[in-house]
mmCIF file of all heavy atoms in Angstrom:
data_model
loop_
_atom_site.group_PDB
_atom_site.id
_atom_site.type_symbol
_atom_site.label_atom_id
_atom_site.label_comp_id
_atom_site.label_asym_id
_atom_site.label_seq_id
_atom_site.Cartn_x
_atom_site.Cartn_y
_atom_site.Cartn_z
ATOM 1 N N VAL G 1 -0.759 -8.362 -18.591
ATOM 2 C CA VAL G 1 -0.338 -8.633 -17.211
ATOM 3 C C VAL G 1 -0.019 -10.124 -17.144
ATOM 4 O O VAL G 1 -0.916 -10.965 -17.091
ATOM 5 C CB VAL G 1 -1.430 -8.258 -16.199
ATOM 6 C CG1 VAL G 1 -0.946 -8.560 -14.777
ATOM 7 C CG2 VAL G 1 -1.813 -6.786 -16.329
ATOM 8 N N TYR G 2 1.268 -10.436 -17.159
ATOM 9 C CA TYR G 2 1.696 -11.834 -17.200
ATOM 10 C C TYR G 2 1.605 -12.474 -15.815
ATOM 11 O O TYR G 2 1.422 -11.798 -14.803
ATOM 12 C CB TYR G 2 3.099 -11.942 -17.784
ATOM 13 C CG TYR G 2 3.155 -11.452 -19.216
ATOM 14 C CD1 TYR G 2 3.831 -10.275 -19.544
ATOM 15 C CD2 TYR G 2 2.519 -12.150 -20.242
ATOM 16 C CE1 TYR G 2 3.868 -9.810 -20.848
ATOM 17 C CE2 TYR G 2 2.548 -11.695 -21.555
ATOM 18 C CZ TYR G 2 3.230 -10.520 -21.848
ATOM 19 O OH TYR G 2 3.246 -10.057 -23.147
ATOM 20 N N ALA G 3 1.725 -13.774 -15.792
ATOM 21 C CA ALA G 3 1.435 -14.551 -14.587
ATOM 22 C C ALA G 3 2.238 -14.121 -13.365
ATOM 23 O O ALA G 3 1.710 -14.084 -12.256
ATOM 24 C CB ALA G 3 1.658 -16.040 -14.864
ATOM 25 N N ASP G 4 3.514 -13.783 -13.558
ATOM 26 C CA ASP G 4 4.335 -13.418 -12.396
ATOM 27 C C ASP G 4 3.849 -12.120 -11.756
ATOM 28 O O ASP G 4 3.730 -12.018 -10.528
ATOM 29 C CB ASP G 4 5.816 -13.320 -12.780
ATOM 30 C CG ASP G 4 6.073 -12.384 -13.948
ATOM 31 O OD1 ASP G 4 5.110 -11.948 -14.609
ATOM 32 O OD2 ASP G 4 7.259 -12.097 -14.222
ATOM 33 N N GLU G 5 3.538 -11.120 -12.593
ATOM 34 C CA GLU G 5 3.009 -9.863 -12.050
ATOM 35 C C GLU G 5 1.629 -10.073 -11.427
ATOM 36 O O GLU G 5 1.316 -9.517 -10.367
ATOM 37 C CB GLU G 5 2.932 -8.796 -13.140
ATOM 38 C CG GLU G 5 2.364 -7.471 -12.635
ATOM 39 C CD GLU G 5 2.145 -6.432 -13.736
ATOM 40 O OE1 GLU G 5 2.514 -6.700 -14.901
ATOM 41 O OE2 GLU G 5 1.584 -5.357 -13.421
ATOM 42 N N TYR G 6 0.823 -10.867 -12.101
ATOM 43 C CA TYR G 6 -0.525 -11.165 -11.591
ATOM 44 C C TYR G 6 -0.446 -11.783 -10.199
ATOM 45 O O TYR G 6 -1.128 -11.335 -9.261
ATOM 46 C CB TYR G 6 -1.231 -12.103 -12.561
ATOM 47 C CG TYR G 6 -2.610 -12.544 -12.137
ATOM 48 C CD1 TYR G 6 -3.711 -11.706 -12.309
ATOM 49 C CD2 TYR G 6 -2.826 -13.806 -11.574
ATOM 50 C CE1 TYR G 6 -4.990 -12.112 -11.931
ATOM 51 C CE2 TYR G 6 -4.092 -14.211 -11.196
ATOM 52 C CZ TYR G 6 -5.167 -13.362 -11.378
ATOM 53 O OH TYR G 6 -6.428 -13.773 -11.002
ATOM 54 N N GLU G 7 0.377 -12.798 -10.045
ATOM 55 C CA GLU G 7 0.488 -13.477 -8.758
ATOM 56 C C GLU G 7 1.045 -12.561 -7.680
ATOM 57 O O GLU G 7 0.515 -12.504 -6.560
ATOM 58 C CB GLU G 7 1.372 -14.719 -8.891
ATOM 59 C CG GLU G 7 1.531 -15.484 -7.595
ATOM 60 C CD GLU G 7 2.253 -16.803 -7.765
ATOM 61 O OE1 GLU G 7 2.506 -17.216 -8.925
ATOM 62 O OE2 GLU G 7 2.561 -17.441 -6.737
ATOM 63 N N GLU G 8 2.100 -11.839 -8.002
ATOM 64 C CA GLU G 8 2.723 -10.951 -7.023
ATOM 65 C C GLU G 8 1.753 -9.862 -6.557
ATOM 66 O O GLU G 8 1.653 -9.582 -5.354
ATOM 67 C CB GLU G 8 3.969 -10.306 -7.635
ATOM 68 C CG GLU G 8 4.695 -9.347 -6.700
ATOM 69 C CD GLU G 8 5.899 -8.690 -7.339
ATOM 70 O OE1 GLU G 8 6.247 -9.042 -8.491
ATOM 71 O OE2 GLU G 8 6.509 -7.808 -6.685
ATOM 72 N N THR G 9 1.039 -9.270 -7.506
ATOM 73 C CA THR G 9 0.117 -8.181 -7.166
ATOM 74 C C THR G 9 -1.072 -8.693 -6.379
ATOM 75 O O THR G 9 -1.467 -8.091 -5.359
ATOM 76 C CB THR G 9 -0.365 -7.474 -8.445
ATOM 77 O OG1 THR G 9 0.764 -7.055 -9.214
ATOM 78 C CG2 THR G 9 -1.215 -6.255 -8.106
ATOM 79 N N LEU G 10 -1.672 -9.790 -6.818
ATOM 80 C CA LEU G 10 -2.826 -10.347 -6.109
ATOM 81 C C LEU G 10 -2.448 -10.741 -4.692
ATOM 82 O O LEU G 10 -3.174 -10.436 -3.731
ATOM 83 C CB LEU G 10 -3.374 -11.554 -6.865
ATOM 84 C CG LEU G 10 -4.619 -12.202 -6.266
ATOM 85 C CD1 LEU G 10 -5.796 -11.226 -6.263
ATOM 86 C CD2 LEU G 10 -4.985 -13.478 -7.029
ATOM 87 N N ARG G 11 -1.314 -11.400 -4.529
ATOM 88 C CA ARG G 11 -0.878 -11.821 -3.194
ATOM 89 C C ARG G 11 -0.667 -10.618 -2.284
ATOM 90 O O ARG G 11 -1.055 -10.625 -1.102
ATOM 91 C CB ARG G 11 0.406 -12.644 -3.284
ATOM 92 C CG ARG G 11 0.892 -13.110 -1.896
ATOM 93 C CD ARG G 11 2.165 -13.913 -1.967
ATOM 94 N NE ARG G 11 1.934 -15.238 -2.527
ATOM 95 C CZ ARG G 11 2.307 -15.609 -3.743
ATOM 96 N NH1 ARG G 11 2.941 -14.751 -4.537
ATOM 97 N NH2 ARG G 11 2.069 -16.831 -4.170
ATOM 98 N N LYS G 12 -0.065 -9.553 -2.804
ATOM 99 C CA LYS G 12 0.186 -8.352 -2.009
ATOM 100 C C LYS G 12 -1.127 -7.712 -1.560
ATOM 101 O O LYS G 12 -1.280 -7.338 -0.386
ATOM 102 C CB LYS G 12 1.009 -7.347 -2.823
ATOM 103 C CG LYS G 12 1.446 -6.103 -2.059
ATOM 104 C CD LYS G 12 2.377 -5.254 -2.918
ATOM 105 C CE LYS G 12 2.988 -4.115 -2.110
ATOM 106 N NZ LYS G 12 1.988 -3.120 -1.670
ATOM 107 N N LEU G 13 -2.079 -7.589 -2.474
ATOM 108 C CA LEU G 13 -3.369 -6.983 -2.129
ATOM 109 C C LEU G 13 -4.091 -7.809 -1.068
ATOM 110 O O LEU G 13 -4.630 -7.260 -0.099
ATOM 111 C CB LEU G 13 -4.242 -6.849 -3.379
ATOM 112 C CG LEU G 13 -3.749 -5.881 -4.460
ATOM 113 C CD1 LEU G 13 -4.671 -5.926 -5.670
ATOM 114 C CD2 LEU G 13 -3.656 -4.462 -3.923
ATOM 115 N N VAL G 14 -4.096 -9.117 -1.242
ATOM 116 C CA VAL G 14 -4.792 -9.992 -0.300
ATOM 117 C C VAL G 14 -4.100 -9.996 1.054
ATOM 118 O O VAL G 14 -4.750 -9.879 2.103
ATOM 119 C CB VAL G 14 -4.890 -11.424 -0.866
ATOM 120 C CG1 VAL G 14 -5.442 -12.381 0.190
ATOM 121 C CG2 VAL G 14 -5.767 -11.447 -2.114
ATOM 122 N N THR G 15 -2.784 -10.116 1.056
ATOM 123 C CA THR G 15 -2.022 -10.175 2.307
ATOM 124 C C THR G 15 -2.197 -8.911 3.138
ATOM 125 O O THR G 15 -2.347 -8.968 4.366
ATOM 126 C CB THR G 15 -0.531 -10.398 2.008
ATOM 127 O OG1 THR G 15 -0.368 -11.611 1.277
ATOM 128 C CG2 THR G 15 0.275 -10.475 3.297
ATOM 129 N N GLU G 16 -2.204 -7.763 2.456
ATOM 130 C CA GLU G 16 -2.331 -6.493 3.170
ATOM 131 C C GLU G 16 -3.759 -6.218 3.639
ATOM 132 O O GLU G 16 -3.961 -5.532 4.639
ATOM 133 C CB GLU G 16 -1.858 -5.348 2.273
ATOM 134 C CG GLU G 16 -0.359 -5.378 1.971
ATOM 135 C CD GLU G 16 0.069 -4.251 1.045
ATOM 136 O OE1 GLU G 16 -0.820 -3.534 0.511
ATOM 137 O OE2 GLU G 16 1.283 -4.086 0.838
ATOM 138 N N THR G 17 -4.734 -6.759 2.919
ATOM 139 C CA THR G 17 -6.125 -6.414 3.198
ATOM 140 C C THR G 17 -6.836 -7.412 4.100
ATOM 141 O O THR G 17 -7.702 -7.032 4.890
ATOM 142 C CB THR G 17 -6.907 -6.286 1.869
ATOM 143 O OG1 THR G 17 -6.194 -5.410 0.991
ATOM 144 C CG2 THR G 17 -8.301 -5.736 2.105
ATOM 145 N N LYS G 18 -6.488 -8.669 4.023
ATOM 146 C CA LYS G 18 -7.222 -9.686 4.774
ATOM 147 C C LYS G 18 -7.288 -9.400 6.281
ATOM 148 O O LYS G 18 -8.348 -9.595 6.893
ATOM 149 C CB LYS G 18 -6.618 -11.072 4.529
ATOM 150 C CG LYS G 18 -7.497 -12.203 5.073
ATOM 151 C CD LYS G 18 -7.008 -13.554 4.613
ATOM 152 C CE LYS G 18 -7.966 -14.647 5.096
ATOM 153 N NZ LYS G 18 -7.980 -14.766 6.573
ATOM 154 N N PRO G 19 -6.208 -8.921 6.913
ATOM 155 C CA PRO G 19 -6.303 -8.635 8.352
ATOM 156 C C PRO G 19 -7.306 -7.528 8.696
ATOM 157 O O PRO G 19 -7.716 -7.408 9.858
ATOM 158 C CB PRO G 19 -4.872 -8.196 8.710
ATOM 159 C CG PRO G 19 -4.010 -8.801 7.659
ATOM 160 C CD PRO G 19 -4.821 -8.758 6.416
ATOM 161 N N LEU G 20 -7.701 -6.743 7.694
ATOM 162 C CA LEU G 20 -8.626 -5.642 7.924
ATOM 163 C C LEU G 20 -10.082 -6.069 7.764
ATOM 164 O O LEU G 20 -10.991 -5.269 7.993
ATOM 165 C CB LEU G 20 -8.329 -4.493 6.954
ATOM 166 C CG LEU G 20 -6.885 -3.979 6.923
ATOM 167 C CD1 LEU G 20 -6.744 -2.883 5.866
ATOM 168 C CD2 LEU G 20 -6.470 -3.453 8.291
ATOM 169 N N THR G 21 -10.304 -7.323 7.363
ATOM 170 C CA THR G 21 -11.648 -7.805 7.087
ATOM 171 C C THR G 21 -12.025 -8.959 8.009
ATOM 172 O O THR G 21 -11.169 -9.567 8.655
ATOM 173 C CB THR G 21 -11.765 -8.303 5.632
ATOM 174 O OG1 THR G 21 -10.963 -9.481 5.474
ATOM 175 C CG2 THR G 21 -11.311 -7.234 4.643
ATOM 176 N N LYS G 22 -13.313 -9.276 8.029
ATOM 177 C CA LYS G 22 -13.782 -10.470 8.731
ATOM 178 C C LYS G 22 -13.635 -11.704 7.837
ATOM 179 O O LYS G 22 -13.533 -12.830 8.324
ATOM 180 C CB LYS G 22 -15.258 -10.312 9.112
ATOM 181 C CG LYS G 22 -15.542 -9.141 10.029
ATOM 182 C CD LYS G 22 -14.964 -9.344 11.405
ATOM 183 C CE LYS G 22 -15.513 -8.311 12.398
ATOM 184 N NZ LYS G 22 -15.237 -6.906 12.005
ATOM 185 N N GLY G 23 -13.623 -11.470 6.524
ATOM 186 C CA GLY G 23 -13.487 -12.574 5.586
ATOM 187 C C GLY G 23 -13.177 -12.083 4.187
ATOM 188 O O GLY G 23 -13.589 -10.991 3.792
ATOM 189 N N LEU G 24 -12.448 -12.900 3.433
ATOM 190 C CA LEU G 24 -12.063 -12.537 2.075
ATOM 191 C C LEU G 24 -12.283 -13.733 1.158
ATOM 192 O O LEU G 24 -11.919 -14.861 1.502
ATOM 193 C CB LEU G 24 -10.597 -12.082 2.053
ATOM 194 C CG LEU G 24 -10.139 -11.292 0.836
ATOM 195 C CD1 LEU G 24 -9.032 -10.301 1.213
ATOM 196 C CD2 LEU G 24 -9.642 -12.215 -0.263
ATOM 197 N N VAL G 25 -12.902 -13.476 0.016
ATOM 198 C CA VAL G 25 -13.231 -14.518 -0.952
ATOM 199 C C VAL G 25 -12.470 -14.252 -2.243
ATOM 200 O O VAL G 25 -12.516 -13.132 -2.769
ATOM 201 C CB VAL G 25 -14.741 -14.549 -1.254
ATOM 202 C CG1 VAL G 25 -15.070 -15.679 -2.231
ATOM 203 C CG2 VAL G 25 -15.550 -14.688 0.034
ATOM 204 N N LEU G 26 -11.776 -15.263 -2.751
ATOM 205 C CA LEU G 26 -11.080 -15.159 -4.025
ATOM 206 C C LEU G 26 -11.779 -16.031 -5.053
ATOM 207 O O LEU G 26 -11.891 -17.247 -4.874
ATOM 208 C CB LEU G 26 -9.620 -15.591 -3.875
ATOM 209 C CG LEU G 26 -8.715 -14.622 -3.116
ATOM 210 C CD1 LEU G 26 -7.322 -15.223 -2.938
ATOM 211 C CD2 LEU G 26 -8.620 -13.290 -3.826
ATOM 212 N N MET G 27 -12.254 -15.393 -6.124
ATOM 213 C CA MET G 27 -12.937 -16.096 -7.202
ATOM 214 C C MET G 27 -12.023 -16.133 -8.425
ATOM 215 O O MET G 27 -11.406 -15.128 -8.775
ATOM 216 C CB MET G 27 -14.259 -15.388 -7.550
ATOM 217 C CG MET G 27 -15.192 -15.250 -6.361
ATOM 218 S SD MET G 27 -16.695 -14.286 -6.736
ATOM 219 C CE MET G 27 -17.567 -15.392 -7.865
ATOM 220 N N THR G 28 -11.929 -17.276 -9.071
ATOM 221 C CA THR G 28 -11.047 -17.402 -10.229
ATOM 222 C C THR G 28 -11.622 -16.669 -11.435
ATOM 223 O O THR G 28 -12.832 -16.505 -11.567
ATOM 224 C CB THR G 28 -10.861 -18.874 -10.633
ATOM 225 O OG1 THR G 28 -12.118 -19.373 -11.124
ATOM 226 C CG2 THR G 28 -10.376 -19.720 -9.477
ATOM 227 N N PRO G 29 -10.739 -16.250 -12.353
ATOM 228 C CA PRO G 29 -11.230 -15.837 -13.662
ATOM 229 C C PRO G 29 -11.664 -17.094 -14.422
ATOM 230 O O PRO G 29 -11.381 -18.217 -13.989
ATOM 231 C CB PRO G 29 -10.010 -15.185 -14.306
ATOM 232 C CG PRO G 29 -8.843 -15.889 -13.683
ATOM 233 C CD PRO G 29 -9.270 -16.191 -12.266
#
C-alpha cells in the first residue's frame, strides 16, 4: 500500500467518520 493510496484511504475514512464521533485520534505508525 503505497503512500498515495494510504493517504487517500485514510483521509476518506477519517473525513466520513469524524462527524459521527465526539472525537477522533490519529496515531502514527
Side-chain angles (χ1 to χ4, degrees):
V1 180
Y2 297 111
D4 54 350
E5 179 186 355
Y6 178 79
E7 180 173 352
E8 180 182 355
T9 306
L10 182 63
R11 180 180 288 107
K12 185 174 188 294
L13 294 176
V14 172
T15 301
E16 293 178 352
T17 309
K18 191 170 184 295
L20 307 177
T21 67
K22 300 292 192 301
L24 197 149
V25 182
L26 288 175
M27 303 175 69
T28 67

